[in-house]
Amino acid sequence: MALFLLMVMLTACAASPQDLSGKMFTFPQQTNSAHVRLTTSRQVLSAVTVCFRSFTDLRRDHSLFSLATPAFDNEMLIFNGASNNKYDFWINNKNVDFIGHDYKVNTWQSICSTWDSVSGLGQLWLDGKPSSRKFISSGSNISGPIIIVLGQEQDTHGGGFDIKQSFVGMMSDVHLWDHILSPCEIQNYMHHLNFAPGNVLNWRALEFQTTGRVLIEDKQDINTCY
Ligand SMILES: *[C@@H]1O[C@H](CO)[C@@H](O)[C@H](O)[C@H]1NC(C)=O
Ligand SMILES: [Ca+2]
């Protein structure tokens, strides 16, 4: 009975979503362990849009969004190849590079990536500017069990972290949809206007678990001072 109650409590804890509006995750030091795991009940995705904002001064490679399945550690990965001035977008362990985006340090940057399994095309938007639309992988869905990690890059299902690819800085406003947002919807996200929150991950009702030194803090936004 006690064990049953404990399990109910643990389940309740894990399952209670939090509204993180106006908040951010702070990853204050380089480690191979500190991370946030995001939970969703959705386990099959035939199209995706992921959007988030990040702030960092990293000039080395780092992971921004790492989704792994038992089949592929890079099932869906957004990786900043800062040392080569590019963004890598991985789907089904295949990747394309997006170059020429204006990667800025010490600035909040909005990133959205889209992909669908029918065309296989991926695209990456940085601060409202689109990339070329490039072929990554078609014909297979993302199918779980999926594990989504912020702050580290998975090389196994839920682990295999590398300190040299860890994220140091702040992240906020993470949303994941099971379809492709239109260019105008992406602009609405980027400009903090009205948009329908993610139906797979929703920053306003986020189920997550932090491990190690990751803080939930009020988002610092100097634009709201005046
Ligand atoms: C992908 O998922 C969709 C809907 O979830 C399904 O209709 C389709 O058959 C799946 N495709 C493959 C290749 O499994
Ligand atoms: Ca990996």
Side-chain angles (χ1 to χ4, degrees), residues 54-58 62 64 103-107 167-170:
S54 63
F55 184 112
T56 182
D57 65 0
L58 289 173
H62 55 275
L64 291 163
Y103 168 65
K104 296 194 192 85
V105 293
N106 299 324
T107 306
F167 178 79
V168 183
M170 295 91 85

Side-chain angles (χ1 to χ4, degrees), residues 59-61 80-88 97-100:
R59 290 194 184 275
R60 58 157 172 78
D61 296 351
N80 186 300
S83 57
N84 294 315
N85 199 23
K86 64 186 169 76
Y87 286 89
D88 288 343
D97 294 342
F98 294 113
I99 57 170

Side-chain angles (χ1 to χ4, degrees), residues 44 46 139 141:
V44 178
S46 56
N141 292 331

Side-chain angles (χ1 to χ4, degrees), residues 8-55:
V8 169
M9 280 165 63
L10 285 175
T11 310
C13 270
S16 70
Q18 286 188 44
D19 182 354
L20 293 183
S21 303
K23 305 279 186 190
M24 62 185 182
F25 289 127
T26 302
F27 300 87
Q29 70 184 155
Q30 177 166 291
T31 71
N32 67 353
S33 54
H35 67 280
V36 181
R37 211 191 247 218
L38 306 179
T39 312
T40 174
S41 55
R42 293 292 301 277
Q43 297 299 330
V44 178
L45 298 167
S46 56
V48 287
T49 301
V50 63
C51 292
F52 54 85
R53 288 182 237 283
S54 63
F55 184 112

